């Protein structure tokens, strides 16, 4: 058996006893913005020359280098020792040398729910031509090109500005691209440098842009899938499946693999290509969980910075670590960071006990149920000998006695340590059980269960079922078939799993920015791999996560870009945030799934839940450009020369505390208010030339807020106006966040931004 690589590294160090010796790793050598006067080939040659000078020969450089980033920015990824990386870090022109990191991956009803309907003349779709000629780049697990969602019926040839290409590979030919899928590339050098050659006999995967996982196909079809009638997941969620921009083009960049891993070297290569290829929107449903790296060390932040500088809107998922605070990821101010919300659809089935009591549970199980009643046990009563009561109660892995569980249904209760219905299903299945009832806090996120039925109920129903099992000698249960329920649920709500703010890296930048549907979303799937032994393959699948909410916003952005091609990424984000809704379909304030439920706030949803039709005509936008983002990076205290290389212009950083507060974001977030503070914002009129906007303030509790001027008058020559907002703390309570809003109204538009204030004690007294 081969000894681990780490053993040889340790042995080498001991033998040589040299602190500068080390094993090879993948490093990204970032060199800032590319000189536009240099041809990309010359940039590549310069990278090879620098590496050859370090390693001693052209051949050694060729063997070590993985990628040369030479289109959107300059740099390369290479296999280096730690000491070689350290030497490069001190070389002229090198901004940063960072270790390759591994990042994680994070429909029939959702677009109707958001009132984006291609069958009606109302709304933004006709005006946007269904997103025609907008190009959405998707960084994900690839695509299943044969899916009906990617038909190109009636579409014209790709826009002339498109420079991308389709790269052939395993079961993916150039002919798999069409007028819908106009680009397809795949990136594995960074992955294989970390983990070794991928063995497709052990892992079901394609060495091409073909999707073996389904995640990339799901996100791509959500953003830009064609209309597919009769779509469903085994009869559930039936209807017409479609993407938000059904006539937009797709460019696929496969950076994530069947293991769920996506390396930063591969991701940065995809960003570099996407900038060169000419995408309008980048949809990125992946990221790195906290602790968050500095923006100048985070390749997703670096790649997206250069993309946004070229006018590309970059949309990212907020993460799935909710409902805990400070878990939001992808928090750079130039990104659109998306939280997940629910829609007004669920899937219910009856639970009929032996005493004829009937309850209702949520389930995605669509298989056949036994015609007869089944014995039901409380999990603690069928615990394995070595399991404690808490583990058994929640059906933690290995906690059940397979002899007792065989052929029965098990009632499990969620605990602090084991919250997942999916884990309970796997535990019961391995113990040869035939069904699960999982009692938990209220949530609309339904666990996938394909081989045995799983019914999710709240604690009240679970307790009633428990009372029946303990009071009856031979308790039994029958399950009804799942049915799709539409329009009878309050929605949207912020999903339990959706990561919350504030940003742990830059709390003055409010994150997430916006919420969109991300719970129980039906979209295209790859039929390549069976989703279970009982079901086999499917063409459409229901899935949940901020990975699903991200492409909803990407699709909306494609529509907006079709209508407003000259809008900057900041203007597009502003339109989304300032027109978002903070109320559900019944007019009540949106709530946040948690334990217990509570009223949602900007740390849950940013500006609110997206309203695509209103975003098309926002009236005013809070615009920004690259220089604003550079000033933000200066305010973070990063190296001035590094920032200058990033922006390809000499910067003299003025590190003032208020720089971040005055960043022209469509929000105001003050992480430390001590007494009195004034910040400024500038709005650009994108509506009628002659108009007046009046300020309306909902002040955060305990804070006085004044706006000056409170009336903004625009005309044919005055398109931009600046105003100041002054905050005065009335309470001296340390560490507490309060929420409010500022809305500019002209009788037609209501341009709303969230106000977030954390009051702090301004003075400490010796005798206090």
């Amino acid at each position: 058996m081969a000894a681990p690589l780490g053993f040889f590294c340790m042995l080498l160090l001991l033998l040589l006893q040299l602190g500068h010796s080390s094993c090879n790793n993948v490093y990204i050598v970032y060199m800032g913005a590319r000189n536009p006067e240099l041809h990309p080939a010359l940039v590549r040659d310069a990278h090879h020359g620098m590496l050859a000078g370090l390693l001693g020969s052209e051949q050694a450089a060729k063997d070590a280098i993985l990628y040369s980033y030479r289109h959107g920015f300059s740099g390369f990824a290479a296999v280096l020792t730690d000491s070689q990386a350290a030497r490069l870090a001190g070389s002229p022109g090198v901004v940063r040398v960072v270790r390759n990191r591994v990042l994680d991956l994070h429909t029939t009803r959702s677009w109707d729910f958001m009132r984006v309907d291609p069958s009606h003349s109302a709304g933004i779709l006709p005006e946007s031509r269904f997103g025609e000629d907008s190009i959405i780049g998707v960084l994900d697990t690839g695509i299943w090109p044969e899916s009906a969602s990617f038909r190109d019926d009636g579409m014209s040839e790709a826009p002339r500005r498109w420079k991308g290409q389709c790269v052939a590979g395993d079961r993916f030919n150039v002919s798999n691209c069409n007028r819908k899928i106009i680009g397809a590339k795949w990136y594995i050098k960074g992955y294989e440098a970390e983990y070794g050659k991928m063995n497709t006999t052990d892992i079901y995967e394609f060495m091409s842009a073909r999707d073996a996982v389904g995640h990339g196909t799901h996100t791509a079809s959500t953003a830009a899938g064609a209309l597919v009638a009769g779509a469903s997941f085994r009869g559930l969620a039936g209807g017409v499946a479609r993407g938000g921009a059904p006539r937009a083009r797709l460019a696929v960049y496969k950076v994530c693999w069947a293991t769920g891993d996506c390396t930063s070297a591969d991701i940065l290569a995809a960003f570099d290509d996407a900038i060169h290829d000419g995408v309008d929107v980048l949809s990125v449903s992946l990221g790195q969980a906290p602790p968050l790296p500095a923006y100048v060390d985070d390749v997703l932040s670096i790649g997206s910075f250069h993309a946004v500088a070229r006018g590309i809107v970059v949309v990212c998922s907020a993460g799935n670590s909710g409902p805990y605070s400070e878990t939001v990821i992808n928090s750079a101010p130039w990104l659109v960071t998306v939280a997940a919300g629910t829609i007004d659809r669920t899937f219910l089935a009856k639970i009929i006990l032996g005493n004829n009591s009937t309850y209702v549970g949520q389930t995605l199980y669509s298989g056949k149920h036994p015609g007869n009643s089944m014995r039901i046990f409380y999990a603690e009563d069928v615990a394995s000998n070595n399991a404690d009561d808490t583990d058994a109660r929640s059906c933690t892995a290995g906690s059940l006695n397979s002899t007792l569980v065989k052929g029965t249904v098990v009632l499990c209760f969620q605990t602090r340590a084991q919250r997942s219905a999916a884990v309970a299903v796997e535990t019961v299945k391995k113990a040869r059980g035939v069904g699960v009832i999982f009692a938990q806090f209220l949530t609309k996120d339904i666990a996938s269960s394909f081989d045995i039925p799983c019914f999710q109920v709240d604690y009240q129903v679970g307790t009633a079922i428990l009372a029946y099992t303990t009071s009856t000698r031979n308790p039994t249960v029958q399950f009804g078939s799942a049915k799709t329920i539409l329009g009878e649920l309050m929605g949207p709500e912020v999903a339990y799993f959706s990561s919350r703010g504030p940003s742990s890296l830059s709390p003055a930048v409010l994150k997430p920015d916006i919420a969109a549907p991300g719970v129980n979303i039906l979209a295209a799937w790859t039929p390549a791999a069976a989703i279970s032994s009982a079901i086999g393959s499917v063409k459409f699948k229901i899935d949940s996560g901020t990975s699903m909410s991200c492409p909803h916003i990407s699709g909306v952005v494609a529509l907006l870009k079709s209508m407003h091609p000259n809008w900057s990424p900041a203007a597009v984000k502003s339109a989304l945030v300032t027109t978002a809704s903070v109320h559900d379909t019944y007019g009540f304030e949106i709530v946040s799934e948690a334990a217990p439920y509570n009223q949602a706030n900007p740390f849950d949803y940013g500006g609110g839940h997206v309203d695509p039709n209103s975003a098309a005509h926002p009236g005013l936008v809070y615009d920004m450009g690259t220089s604003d983002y550079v000033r933000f990076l200066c305010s973070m205290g990063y190296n001035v020369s590094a920032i200058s290389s990033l922006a390809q212009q000499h910067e003299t950083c003025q590190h003032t505390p208020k720089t971040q507060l005055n960043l022209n974001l469509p929000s105001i977030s003050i992480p430390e208010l001590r007494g009195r503070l004034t910040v400024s914002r500038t709005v650009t009129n994108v509506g009628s030339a002659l108009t007046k906007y009046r300020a309306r303030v909902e002040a955060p509790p305990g804070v006085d807020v004044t706006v000056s001027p409170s009336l903004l008058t625009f005309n044919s020559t005055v398109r931009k106006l600046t105003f100041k907002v002054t905050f005065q703390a009335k309470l001296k309570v340390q560490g507490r966040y309060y929420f409010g809003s500022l809305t500019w109204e002209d009788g037609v538009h209501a341009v709303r931004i969230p106000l977030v204030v954390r009051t702090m004690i301004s003075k400490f007294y010796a005798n206090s």
Side-chain angles (χ1 to χ4, degrees), residues 285-516:
S285 291
L286 53 93
Q288 180 178 339
L292 304 182
Y295 293 124
V296 291
D297 291 334
D298 176 16
V299 297
L300 203 153
S301 294
I302 291 169
S304 60
F305 177 93
H306 291 287
V308 169
R310 300 292 187 91
I312 300 167
V313 183
V314 183
V315 185
C316 291
S317 49
N320 299 329
S321 300
Y324 308 109
S325 64
E326 297 186 319
T327 54
V328 66
I329 62 173
N330 298 325
S331 60
W334 48 85
L335 296 172
V336 181
T337 308
V338 189
T342 66
I343 59 176
D344 62 344
R345 177 180 67 191
T346 193
F347 309 96
L348 303 178
K350 290 181 178 180
I351 301 170
I352 306 166
L353 303 181
N355 62 1
N356 289 324
S357 296
T358 300
Y359 300 96
V360 172
Q362 295 183 111
T363 184
L364 288 178
Y365 182 76
S366 55
K368 292 183 178 180
H369 295 292
N372 57 320
S373 297
M374 298 167 285
R375 183 74 186 269
I376 180 172
F377 281 117
Y378 174 43
E380 279 191 29
D381 295 335
V382 288
S384 59
N385 292 332
N386 59 348
D388 63 34
D389 289 346
T390 302
D391 285 345
R393 185 185 313 138
S394 60
C395 297
T396 301
S399 64
L400 301 180
N401 185 318
S402 59
T403 302
L404 298 176
V405 169
K406 182 181 179 181
T408 70
V409 174
V410 181
L411 171 64
C412 314
F413 278 75
Q414 184 182 63
T415 63
R416 179 183 291 271
Q418 205 300 89
R419 299 169 180 245
S420 171
V423 169
V425 168
E426 197 62 26
T427 302
V428 172
K429 188 170 68 172
K430 287 183 177 179
R432 299 182 293 177
V434 294
V436 179
I437 298 175
F438 192 73
Q440 62 179 132
F441 61 82
L442 289 169
T443 177
K444 294 181 177 63
D445 179 24
I446 307 175
S448 297
S449 178
F450 308 123
D451 295 323
I452 63 172
C454 174
F455 289 75
Q456 290 168 237
V457 299
D458 61 27
Y459 284 118
Q460 183 178 345
V461 171
T463 303
I465 297 173
L466 174 61
Y468 164 69
T469 65
T470 57
S471 64
T472 306
R473 188 165 189 171
N474 185 30
T476 60
V477 65
Q478 278 187 299
F479 295 140
S481 298
K483 298 186 183 302
T484 303
I485 307 300
L486 292 177
E488 297 184 24
L489 271 72
M490 304 284 277
E493 297 172 351
V494 179
Y496 181 86
F497 59 77
S498 185
S499 291
R500 272 41 169 198
S503 165
S504 59
L505 185 57
S506 50
V509 177
L510 179 62
K511 290 289 176 173
D513 294 299
I514 194 80

Side-chain angles (χ1 to χ4, degrees), residues 102-106 141 191 213 256-262:
V102 179
L103 287 77
D104 302 316
L105 287 165
H106 284 160
T141 64
Y191 179 94
V213 178
C256 301
W257 298 87
T259 58
D261 296 326
C262 334

Side-chain angles (χ1 to χ4, degrees), residues 138-172:
V138 182
L139 273 64
D140 215 295
T141 64
I143 197 165
W144 192 261
E146 291 83 6
S147 170
S149 293
F150 307 124
R151 296 193 318 266
D152 63 354
D153 300 352
M155 297 186 72
S156 59
E157 294 298 324
R160 290 185 179 180
R161 58 189 167 84
W162 176 245
K163 300 177 183 177
Q165 58 182 316
C166 285
V167 178
D170 183 15
R171 290 190 60 188
F172 196 101

Side-chain angles (χ1 to χ4, degrees), residues 235-279:
L236 296 176
V240 177
R242 65 177 184 275
R247 293 186 71 83
R249 317 304 177 118
L250 284 167
V252 178
Y253 301 90
K254 182 175 177 178
V255 296
C256 301
W257 298 87
T259 58
D261 296 326
C262 334
T263 72
S264 51
D266 295 331
I267 291 168
L268 202 57
F271 268 109
D272 189 40
D273 281 348
I275 293 169
H276 166 267
D277 294 344
V279 303

